[in-house]
Amino acid sequence: GAGVSQSPSNKVTEKGKDVELRCDPISGHTALYWYRQSLGQGLEFLIYFQGNSAPDKSGLPSDRFSAERTGGSVSTLTIQRTQQEDSAVYLCASSLAGGISYEQYFGPGTRLTVT
Amino acid sequence: QQQVKQSPQSLIVQKGGISIINCAYENTAFDYFPWYQQFPGKGPALLIAIRPDVSEKKEGRFTISFNKSAKQFSLHIMDSQPGDSATYFCAASGGSARQLTFGSGTQLTVLP
């Protein structure tokens, strides 16, 4: 079956521009996670959505980062006024149901380069 | 504060050998410990996972050993193959949100 998909696969942007990254979770998965993978920081949690509950934003590094999830499915991660330190691979993962099934399945990621 | 420490950073093994990667955690609230395999340009793929109520789990050539009292767990890859060459991440989660806390990764190279 279809896995987690992310778009675009690569994004190059200029410092100061806003970017939007998209994630389509596995159908039926109610939990959705965003992570960031960078050379200096490894894999780090950003934000978590579960159903219609308020998201857990505890991992967002600054108020330039925000995310939304529409209709309990597709999610968009927005980075405003991008900085060079935002360059990383942004990974999305989904899970059948937070607290019941712990298995998280990752998408291929979006490689963001800020010039 | 790094909550999951992973070693070694890199590992070279001969084909047919055993690869062993170790992780240690600090947060006693963690109750789920997966291992992920990642190839260049790909997202992490779930390999095998364990809960703390068992000390070992085996799936094919992959085995997790878990020591709750020492707060350590390890991945053993038996009969390592060149196709196993990848970066391996241990992780841990707990609580209601279940977000994963990852180790720093181990780059495994299996020589033919």
Side-chain angles (χ1 to χ4, degrees):
Chain A
V4 177
S5 61
Q6 293 186 245
S7 61
S9 56
N10 285 281
K11 176 71 175 179
V12 180
T13 190
E14 292 181 353
K15 177 182 174 181
K17 299 286 189 182
D18 298 351
V19 295
E20 287 188 351
L21 313 178
R22 176 187 168 104
C23 171
D24 281 277
I26 294 172
S27 178
H29 280 195
T30 59
L32 186 148
Y33 303 79
W34 284 96
Y35 295 86
R36 178 169 70 174
Q37 185 171 25
S38 58
L39 286 176
Q41 300 297 321
L43 271 157
E44 54 182 345
F45 164 76
L46 296 177
I47 188 169
Y48 158 67
F49 295 90
Q50 170 55 44
N52 295 320
S53 301
D56 178 347
K57 305 178 182 180
S58 60
L60 295 179
S62 79
D63 58 8
R64 296 185 296 105
F65 289 71
S66 64
E68 64 177 17
R69 189 178 185 191
T70 55
S73 181
V74 171
S75 177
T76 302
L77 177 69
T78 300
I79 309 173
Q80 296 179 310
R81 305 181 303 281
T82 52
Q83 303 295 311
Q84 288 187 333
E85 60 263 29
D86 299 334
S87 295
V89 176
Y90 290 83
L91 293 159
C92 176
S94 70
S95 180
L96 186 58
I100 298 177
S101 171
Y102 303 144
E103 297 176 349
Q104 292 184 28
Y105 298 91
F106 283 80
T110 293
R111 180 174 296 278
L112 175 65
T113 303
V114 181
T115 61
Chain B
Q1 180 186 13
Q2 183 183 7
Q3 295 192 41
V4 180
K5 294 184 179 180
Q6 183 171 345
S7 63
Q9 185 175 359
S10 63
L11 180 62
I12 300 175
V13 175
Q14 292 287 339
K15 178 182 176 180
I18 303 174
S19 303
I20 302 174
I21 305 171
N22 301 298
C23 284
Y25 63 98
E26 300 169 3
N27 188 342
T28 55
F30 289 149
D31 62 2
Y32 172 69
F33 303 88
W35 285 88
Y36 283 84
Q37 179 189 57
Q38 186 176 32
F39 293 103
K42 305 292 186 182
L46 180 62
L47 198 58
I48 188 173
I50 198 168
R51 299 292 305 278
D53 51 346
V54 296
S55 60
E56 185 174 282
K57 183 175 181 180
K58 182 176 181 179
E59 290 184 0
R61 296 185 294 109
F62 301 92
T63 299
I64 299 179
S65 296
F66 185 82
N67 186 328
K68 186 175 180 178
S69 61
K71 293 189 286 186
Q72 295 176 348
F73 58 110
S74 61
L75 176 68
H76 292 61
I77 306 174
M78 311 299 288
D79 187 27
S80 299
Q81 299 297 312
D84 297 330
S85 297
T87 300
Y88 292 80
F89 292 93
C90 63
S93 74
S96 60
R98 314 307 310 188
Q99 70 263 33
L100 294 168
T101 299
F102 285 88
S104 54
T106 296
Q107 187 169 349
L108 171 65
T109 302
V110 181
L111 300 176

